[in-house]
Amino acid sequence: MCSVSTTSAKKRSKDKDCGNTEQKSLMWDMLTHMQANIDDCSPEVLAHAIDLLMNNGAIDAWIHPIIMKKGRPAHSLHCICRSDTSETSSGYVDAIQSARVDEVSTEHRLLNIMFRHTTTLGIRTQRNILRAALRRKFVEVQLPYKNDTRQGKVNVKISSLNGEVVSVKAEFEHCKIVSEGNDVPLKAVSRVAEQLGLEHYNITN
């Protein structure tokens, strides 16, 4: 007769509970990934396209170098955004063709930018990609600097998992402004901001 020890059963139960807690502590969302391979566009134009994508609803946008047929050097332009609907790719195409999808949706807007501002003739689109993300909180901290347009104020993003802080990151643009206005090294501004942000988080949580 086979039996399971109480200790083992409790351990499995604890591991299962821990897994459920971790799942609940994460943020889950559905994303759309757009990708285009481009071999006849300058880096400056691609960089401009990334700026436009980020300013029009993309969660992230990036480029990586690739080699295409006949050894041609090229770039692959990517961007991700939140999926507009829960439609599958084929269902989404049907919805577009029957005018059931808003043509000014985020996905349409980003597609239009990629077509209008690069030389690509086609864009591969993958919808409803499940993403897990850490929960994050933004805190504003006051640094001991005043000679800048932000008056020494910097936003800090703090990410956590099950109550444990796993990432602390000061907003780069804010740190840059404070650094230039007060003639303080950027790394010093970031370090102080992150320390203050973590202290504020620990006090309020």
Side-chain angles (χ1 to χ4, degrees), residues 85-133:
T85 71
S86 60
E87 290 271 12
T88 61
S89 294
S90 59
Y92 192 67
V93 171
D94 292 339
I96 292 173
Q97 293 176 342
S98 61
R100 297 200 310 273
V101 174
D102 186 356
E103 291 188 358
V104 295
S105 67
T106 300
E107 292 179 10
H108 265 70
R109 187 163 60 249
L110 298 177
L111 284 170
N112 287 338
I113 289 172
M114 292 177 74
F115 277 124
R116 295 185 65 240
H117 293 276
T118 74
T119 56
T120 187
L121 301 179
I123 300 170
R124 292 182 294 281
T125 303
Q126 184 177 2
R127 305 190 71 257
N128 295 329
I129 302 170
L130 183 62
R131 179 184 72 161

Side-chain angles (χ1 to χ4, degrees), residues 56-200:
N56 282 274
I59 295 174
D60 200 0
W62 67 97
I63 298 170
H64 70 255
I66 58 174
I67 299 296
M68 297 181 66
K69 62 184 179 180
K70 300 180 181 179
R72 296 198 309 273
H75 295 89
S76 185
L77 174 62
H78 301 255
C79 83
I80 56 174
C81 68
R82 288 184 173 80
S83 298
D84 289 331
T85 71
S86 60
E87 290 271 12
T88 61
S89 294
S90 59
Y92 192 67
V93 171
D94 292 339
I96 292 173
Q97 293 176 342
S98 61
R100 297 200 310 273
V101 174
D102 186 356
E103 291 188 358
V104 295
S105 67
T106 300
E107 292 179 10
H108 265 70
R109 187 163 60 249
L110 298 177
L111 284 170
N112 287 338
I113 289 172
M114 292 177 74
F115 277 124
R116 295 185 65 240
H117 293 276
T118 74
T119 56
T120 187
L121 301 179
I123 300 170
R124 292 182 294 281
T125 303
Q126 184 177 2
R127 305 190 71 257
N128 295 329
I129 302 170
L130 183 62
R131 179 184 72 161
L134 292 173
R135 295 193 178 278
R136 68 285 307 266
K137 179 179 181 180
F138 291 89
V139 299
E140 184 182 77
V141 297
Q142 176 66 62
L143 275 61
Y145 312 113
K146 297 289 186 177
N147 298 325
D148 59 85
T149 57
R150 292 196 56 80
Q151 295 293 298
K153 295 180 180 179
V154 173
N155 286 347
V156 180
K157 179 169 63 176
I158 301 175
S159 303
S160 62
L161 179 65
N162 299 326
E164 176 191 0
V165 174
V166 295
S167 176
V168 180
K169 186 68 174 177
E171 176 62 41
F172 173 79
E173 293 298 334
H174 293 179
C175 292
K176 180 181 176 182
I177 292 172
V178 174
S179 171
E180 293 176 347
N182 295 274
D183 193 25
V184 179
L186 179 62
K187 61 183 180 181
V189 174
S190 298
R191 182 173 63 250
V192 173
E194 290 168 1
Q195 290 174 347
L196 292 174
L198 184 57
E199 290 175 4
H200 181 276

